[in-house]
Amino acid sequence: MAPISKAKRKQQQAAADAFDSHFAGEYGAERWQKLRACLAQPTEYAALINNYAPSAEVDQALLAEASSGSYALFRLPQAPEPTPSLIPTRVLCLTRTNTAPGERPFPPPRPAASPDASRRLHTHWNLDAASVVAAQCLDVQPGHAVLDLCAAPGGKSITLAQRLWPDMYADKPSATSSPRSMLHSNEVDPARNRRLASNLQSYLPPQLMDQGCVEVLRIDGTSPRAVHLFPLGEEGYDRVLLDAPCSSERHILHAYLKSQQSGTLAPEMLAWKPTMTRSLAKTQLALLRTAWSALKPGGRLIYATCSLSQVENDQVVRSFLDTVDSENQPRILRSESLHKFCDATEYGYLALPDHKAPGAADPSPWGPLFFCMLLIGNENGELCAYGQAGPGNFHAMSAEQWVTVVQEAVHKAKQQIPFAVGTWGRVWVGSAGLDTPENKEKARHLVRMHLFDPPCLRITNDAALLCPHEGRPSVVAIAGTGSIVLAFDKNGQLHGRIGGLGWILGDEGSAYCLGRAALRAILQRPAAETSRLQERVADLVTLSTMDDILSWVYTGPEAKTRVASVAPCVTGLAREGDPLAWALVDAQAYQLAKQIADATTYARAEDINVRLGGALLQDATFQRCVVDHLTRLGYAFASIQAVPDACVAALAAWHTAPHEGSS
């Protein structure tokens, strides 16, 4: 090896000094010194488990170099404002808990040794866990069309794919057939495109490519006409991931430190200049515009880079927002749960290996990875902002209290709207307790006096917000603390109701009834016997004896709410396979399914849209039980859809409805 000239050494040192000076200016000298030390450490990896490979093969591959106690499940945050789905999916990611110095955290992936050729898929993918967090926040669901715009080498595409075809999992596949999902993974560089295609073939069931569900594309995303070259074209994708090419400063730093040890040059550090960042930002902005053009109304986009520079992160998002007209401004999604993993920035989140979560002893080892979540919300009837307050039962509180609750919710929503609100054109107020004409008229008067005076004002019970208004008869089932089933005709007029009798006389299939059944089961077991359910409930409410439980249930106000709070323990244990918890969930799900069936006698089931609302019906295990019971009872509806919030359903319904006046 030829000796390195003194001039070259000076040139590299000058570049390294400029690199440090630049980021000390961006992060502050003290923070940069600590962050640089963390970045200099070997990159920390997690293992994404491939659900399409048999779990026995996955275990064998991972345990080849370490015991099972060396691994821990990486708990992913829930996606902000997740879309409800009746089809359970899973993304599993492992981290090492006790890696020795110099020891690699995970063995390399290997093909499963399965007699079935379609199952000889690689067992896991080693990647930075921050990448999995970003992909999780995209909220991919079965039935979605997904575009991964800069996909090579394929780790994020493989992560997204884990949620698209749960009925093809090698172990415990979903009993419900997934609706047709599509994944289009794009990479313009020829060599990287070939590597991407090879990796997807190694990890995903071959029939997905054979049937055109997974497709590898080679399109230049910076081209103004790129969006028209994608198979689904403009506004064709439910979800778009843009992990844009970037400066990748951690790679530059590692190359430089390695060159210092070996006495060689690092071309990556020699080539680095602040102007390179600005040049890449132009490319990233062009890609972001293409990604946005490919997104459906109501769709979600994530813009991500592994850059440390604000120029490639928040400033790119800011430049993009400046190009979008005010009526079509995207909404930036936020989530408190991400603070455990990332620093919050102006428009998104930045995972850095010196980030320390509140209360944590050690910093997170992940990153760098910046990501921003963008959601279309505009005049097309999509959600622009959301505010929550309450409780707000009109019948159970004073007029002043009720107005204050509604004002609080409206205020919280208005704070999120990225444009000025002029006059309100149409307002729909749905609130519990607005069941009689007298109460509706009182509420209308209060709204016009204290809140809004729009040309069109609708006042209804909160359950009516879930009625789909799609020209078909519909049944709305709500199971939260209580339960009720409502039937509507094709014009959205209430036809009848079942249940809703309150916790003393009814509420079958509710969280209250499920919690009550669990407490009964605990109290009726012999004193010498314990169950996982008893242990879980004891952890929740710190109760251990029968007297404790009885006192907790019957002493003080809000007994109904306290009993209902036990329900999540029961559904959680049912998900884990506990037979007692499963039997309790199944029994209450049957009660609710029977009420839904009884409410459909006024029309043919195949003509009816069913909507499921309330906190208990957003639990995937309880949802699935209700739907399974309806199937066993012989009901095949036009559609069954879980709705996470009545406001979202009402917005979509009213946007397509005629602009009626006050009612």
Side-chain angles (χ1 to χ4, degrees), residues 83 105 127 133 186 202 214 248 254 351 376 401-402 410 455 497 521 524 554 572:
T83 304
L127 78 176
V133 171
N186 182 65
S202 298
V214 175
S248 191
H254 280 191
I376 291 184
Q401 290 173 324
W402 184 79
V410 172
R497 60 182 278 172
Q524 290 171 358
Y554 289 109

Side-chain angles (χ1 to χ4, degrees), residues 285 288 310-311 313-324 329 346-347 372:
L285 179 58
L288 184 50
Q310 292 183 41
V311 174
N313 297 337
D314 276 330
Q315 287 187 27
V316 170
V317 178
R318 186 183 305 123
S319 298
F320 167 70
L321 295 176
D322 288 344
T323 67
V324 181
Q329 279 282 312
E346 183 179 3
Y347 294 109
C372 169

Side-chain angles (χ1 to χ4, degrees), residues 66 78 86 161 173 195 206 257 308 343 388 409 445 548 563 578 618:
Q78 186 182 52
L86 296 178
R195 184 183 176 198
L257 295 174
L308 296 168
D343 293 343
Q388 187 171 359
H445 174 72
D548 288 339
V563 172
D578 182 78
Q618 303 316 305

